[in-house]
């Protein structure tokens, strides 16, 4: 079998810096575990605009469609702020998500013990936390029609957005959540506002339908999204997988992510329908942006990008053991007190550079084989 293909789009700002550390892990997997990828690289975002006048060329889009997985760094920066909306760096990312039809956005919120003090919540509430938020990414109020700002009947204006979900849109993201739960602790909590929104009633009924007909072995509960927000900060460890719509997921996943500390630690995956080879269309990327304030200084934390690659190992390549190996290496390095600047506590100390963190993780991977 040919090696699975991985398209790397490092992007702008700290994107290439953190991606350089991921490449060390990819190389390690090849040399020490015999797991080889056919890696290619291309441009996205501001650097693509500089080279081609567009944040994503048709050729790059076609390569992304053909790849077994896409790994993205970050896009954007002040240099591109004044560009026309149609060619802004973010348009490249949005085009990838839209044309690959990546409807399930996976955002883990995992608390490494060594960083439990970073949370704004008490340590006992957060230590050992490991939850996954699955956010519907291609439907709902961000896309529904009609939308716009119109004159109203009283001489003023009216702003309209439409929350709209179909059976198919709900069922396919529910399936993603149930599949994930089976690989984890077998529990799904679905969140909507069925008490005040018809789309919420449909959401609840369809998620229940998928459960009853296809995943009766998974424990399913329903919660109103506002109550879910409260429960997330009251006792987050009650959850395993949360599935929710685009708007609520936007808020709830940011809230859950910040339970665990720095932006430099947060990976994500966006998955679509299975391809011919059974793998889902997939884009893996850190949650953070291009961090222009620290770009080019060797200060960026590469862990979010490295953990995004670990998600690719697990969800695109069925290499859960190797993903866990990478995650354990990160945990070990943090437990040993290795910190990039964003992870320095008030007690201070000397931070390592971006490449120092990558090297420490490779050393921990070596140690995992000893
Ligand atoms: P940002 O995530 O780039 O940075 C926010 C803060 O977090 C900054 O202080 C930054 O230094 C810090 N930070 C982020 N990642 C870090 C890391 N890995 N290690 C250490 N510190 C880190 O968000 P922003 O400043 O709002 O946006 C900057 C640019 O990135 C903008 O052009 C924005 O449009 C773009 N952006 C892109 C994405 C993406 O590519 N997915 C996401 C968000 C923002």
């Amino acid at each position: 079998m040919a090696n699975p293909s991985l398209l790397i789009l490092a992007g702008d700002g700290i994107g290439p810096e953190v991606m350089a550390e991921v490449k060390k892990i990819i190389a390690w997997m090849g040399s020490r575990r015999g797991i080889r990828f056919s890696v290619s690289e291309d441009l996205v975002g501001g650097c693509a605009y500089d080279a081609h006048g567009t944040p994503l060329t048709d050729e790059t889009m076609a390569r992304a469609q053909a790849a077994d997985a896409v790994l993205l760094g970050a896009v954007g920066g002040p240099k591109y702020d004044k560009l026309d909306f149609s060619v802004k760096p973010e348009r490249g990312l949005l085009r990838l998500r839209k044309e690959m039809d990546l409807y399930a956005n996976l955002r883990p919120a995992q608390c490494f013990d060594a960083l439990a003090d970073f949370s704004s919540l008490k340590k006992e509430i957060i230590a050992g936390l490991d939850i996954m938020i699955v956010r519907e990414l291609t439907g709902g109020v961000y896309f529904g029609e009609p939308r716009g700002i119109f004159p109203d009947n009283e001489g003023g204006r009216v702003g309209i957005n439409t929350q709209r979900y179909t059976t198919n849109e709900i069922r396919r993201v529910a399936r993603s959540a149930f599949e994930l739960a089976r690989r984890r602790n077998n529990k799904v909590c679905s969140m909507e506002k069925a008490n005040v929104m018809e789309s919420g009633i449909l959401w609840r009924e369809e998620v229940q339908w998928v459960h009853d007909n296809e995943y009766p072995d998974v424990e399913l509960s329903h919660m109103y999204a506002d109550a879910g927000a409260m429960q997330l900060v009251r006792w987050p460890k009650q959850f395993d997988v949360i599935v929710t719509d685009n708007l609520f997921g936007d808020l709830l996943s940011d809230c859950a992510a910040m339970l665990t500390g720095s932006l430099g630690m947060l990976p994500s995956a966006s998955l679509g329908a299975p391809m011919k080879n059974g793998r889902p269309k997939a884009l893996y990327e850190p949650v953070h942006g291009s961090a222009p304030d620290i770009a080019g200084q060797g200060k960026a934390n590469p862990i979010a990008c490295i953990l995004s690659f670990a998600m690719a190992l697990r969800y695109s390549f069925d290499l859960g053991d190797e993903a866990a190996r990478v995650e354990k290496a990160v945990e070990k390095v943090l437990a040993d007190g290795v910190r990039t600047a964003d992870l320095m506590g008030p007690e201070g100390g000397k931070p390592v550079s971006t490449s120092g963190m990558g090297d420490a993780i490779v050393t921990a991977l070596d140690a995992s084989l000893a």
Side-chain angles (χ1 to χ4, degrees):
M1 273 248 301
N3 295 333
S5 60
L6 197 55
L7 175 64
I8 291 183
L9 303 172
D12 308 317
I14 62 168
E17 298 171 47
V18 294
M19 199 59 83
E21 305 313 307
V22 176
K23 288 185 204 163
K24 290 179 186 170
I25 313 290
I26 295 172
W28 186 90
M29 283 290 162
S31 63
R32 303 299 305 271
R33 305 295 296 153
I35 297 166
R36 293 191 175 80
F37 297 97
S38 166
V39 178
S40 58
E41 295 193 51
D42 213 327
L43 303 176
V44 70
C47 58
Y49 177 81
D50 288 339
H52 304 296
T54 168
L56 190 78
T57 64
D58 292 344
E59 292 72 27
T60 311
M61 188 65 240
R63 291 175 80 184
Q65 293 282 21
D68 288 314
V70 179
L71 197 54
L72 189 134
V75 297
K79 180 177 166 195
Y80 308 105
D81 281 351
K82 296 224 160 61
L83 286 182
D84 183 72
F85 186 69
S86 63
V87 288
K88 274 197 185 295
E90 290 76 5
R91 301 304 298 173
L93 182 51
L94 292 178
R95 181 176 176 198
L96 281 167
R97 288 180 183 155
K98 182 159 186 286
E99 293 192 18
M100 291 169 76
D101 199 13
L102 304 172
Y103 54 80
N105 182 223
L106 278 50
R107 295 263 303 257
Q110 197 177 5
C111 183
F112 292 96
D113 283 353
L115 299 182
D117 286 331
F118 267 78
S119 174
S120 47
L121 297 189
K122 291 193 199 93
K123 196 168 177 174
E124 66 268 22
I125 291 178
I126 207 74
L129 179 75
D130 180 7
I131 62 181
M132 177 74 81
I133 303 217
V134 180
R135 164 189 172 194
E136 200 291 326
L137 200 59
T138 53
V141 74
Y142 293 165
F143 296 96
E145 299 281 349
R147 62 183 297 163
I149 300 175
F150 307 98
D152 70 5
N153 296 330
E154 299 159 356
R157 296 184 299 161
V158 55
I160 298 178
N161 291 92
T162 304
Q163 171 79 335
R164 180 180 186 280
Y165 270 110
T166 64
T167 293
N168 176 44
E169 285 172 328
I170 300 168
R171 287 187 185 179
R172 64 185 187 173
V173 74
R175 287 188 185 102
S176 302
F178 287 121
E179 288 291 335
L180 272 168
R182 277 186 176 161
R183 295 175 185 213
R184 297 168 48 94
N185 294 320
N186 224 33
K187 273 187 358 184
V188 170
C189 180
S190 170
M191 295 187 186
E192 29 53 21
K193 290 282 286 175
N195 49 343
V196 287
M197 296 170 76
E198 283 73 11
S199 58
I201 296 173
L202 185 74
W203 182 280
R204 187 175 284 222
E205 289 175 358
E206 295 296 349
V207 172
Q208 189 68 48
W209 186 94
V210 174
H211 171 267
D212 296 350
N213 288 279
E214 299 174 19
Y215 299 89
D217 54 301
V218 180
E219 193 184 314
L220 171 65
S221 60
H222 301 276
M223 207 178 264
Y224 298 137
D226 49 343
M230 284 197 279
Q231 292 299 329
L232 261 181
V233 287
R234 191 186 73 84
W235 188 240
K237 283 188 246 181
Q238 69 185 281
F239 298 113
D240 177 24
V241 174
I242 293 173
V243 63
T244 188
D245 74 14
N246 202 344
L247 173 63
F248 298 138
D250 197 357
L251 310 183
L252 292 170
S253 63
D254 268 14
C255 170
M258 269 303 117
L259 296 175
T260 67
S262 167
L263 205 47
M265 295 292 300
L266 301 170
S268 80
S270 300
L271 307 181
M275 298 183 279
K276 277 203 193 100
N277 59 16
R279 296 187 174 116
K281 285 248 160 109
L283 174 83
Y284 299 88
E285 56 178 323
V287 169
H288 63 71
S290 58
D293 53 335
I294 56 167
Q297 300 171 38
K299 286 185 183 165
N301 182 352
I303 291 179
C305 204
I306 288 172
L307 291 178
S308 300
F309 174 62
M311 290 185 85
L313 291 173
R314 180 172 286 122
Y315 298 120
S316 279
F317 305 118
D318 239 349
L319 292 166
D321 289 351
E322 299 304 327
R325 186 188 297 284
V326 174
E327 289 156 359
K328 286 211 181 75
V330 168
E331 196 169 359
K332 161 106 179 41
V333 161
L334 294 171
D336 288 347
V338 181
R339 300 273 188 277
T340 40
D342 57 311
L343 302 179
M344 299 304 294
E347 67 278 7
K350 192 170 178 334
V352 294
S353 64
T354 308
S355 66
M357 179 58 90
D359 292 343
I361 293 170
V362 168
T363 304
L365 284 170
D366 281 337
S368 77
L369 299 179

